Amino acid sequence: MRRLALGVVAAAVVLATPVLAHRGHSGLTVVVIDAGGAVSVTHRFAAHDVEPALVTVAPDAQPTLDDPAAVAALEEHLDRRFRLEIDDERIDLSHAATDLAGDNIRVDYSGNRTPAPRVRSVRVDLDFFPGVHDDQEQQVNVRWAGVTRTLVFRPGSAAQTIWF
């Protein structure tokens, strides 16, 4: 009887592992600030987290990343809902590239700031895919002069500032 119980527990653990592997919805944004004034922003997501959001992000397109209209709407959504200030200077970003590779989505933007010998503060505000995933979490890593600072956003998070 004990062997049967252990077998059932082992089978349950093996079957539950794929379910536990993806318990939430998340993304990663990396902001790199160059001393010469260049700013790059890269957003990364899993396609299976983004495609359900395409229904609201791209209502006139097919809700799939196979539809170029949906991808363009996604790029515009990310651009509109990500705001960046460096030392109180608003940074305007332009779409640079999108890479769709299997379940991985990478969308790059670039911009410029007034060149300065240092960065004192970086303010980030974002709200991706509102109302789609209640557990959406976006980690934002900001890099300047070899130092990385991290912010975490969840639905309804206010803008956040980090200091260097």
Side-chain angles (χ1 to χ4, degrees), residues 1-10:
M1 187 65 146
R2 183 178 170 151
R3 283 188 182 175
L4 177 62
L6 287 174
V8 168
V9 169

Side-chain angles (χ1 to χ4, degrees), residues 141-164:
N141 292 340
V142 180
R143 293 185 186 143
W144 157 253
V147 176
T148 301
R149 302 265 193 262
T150 301
L151 302 168
V152 177
F153 289 84
R154 293 178 181 83
S157 290
Q160 299 178 47
T161 302
I162 56 171
W163 304 91
F164 284 92

Side-chain angles (χ1 to χ4, degrees), residues 60-107:
D60 297 327
Q62 294 295 316
T64 174
L65 293 165
D66 294 328
D67 184 347
V71 174
L74 172 65
E75 294 162 353
E76 195 275 325
H77 172 82
L78 297 176
D79 182 51
R80 188 177 70 252
R81 293 190 161 269
F82 182 84
R83 293 154 307 275
L84 179 67
E85 293 178 9
I86 301 172
D87 295 330
D88 299 321
E89 177 187 350
R90 166 74 185 204
I91 307 301
D92 292 320
L93 300 170
S94 299
H95 178 256
T98 297
D99 182 30
L100 307 174
D103 194 42
N104 298 310
I105 298 171
R106 176 181 166 155
V107 184

Side-chain angles (χ1 to χ4, degrees), residues 9-66:
V9 169
V13 168
V14 168
L15 293 173
T17 300
V19 172
L20 294 176
H22 190 73
R23 297 179 84 175
H25 301 91
S26 63
L28 171 66
T29 296
V30 177
V31 177
V32 179
I33 305 165
D34 179 286
V39 177
S40 67
V41 176
T42 299
H43 303 295
R44 295 177 188 264
F45 303 95
H48 64 266
D49 285 347
V50 170
E51 284 190 322
L54 293 177
V55 172
T56 57
V57 169
D60 297 327
Q62 294 295 316
T64 174
L65 293 165
D66 294 328

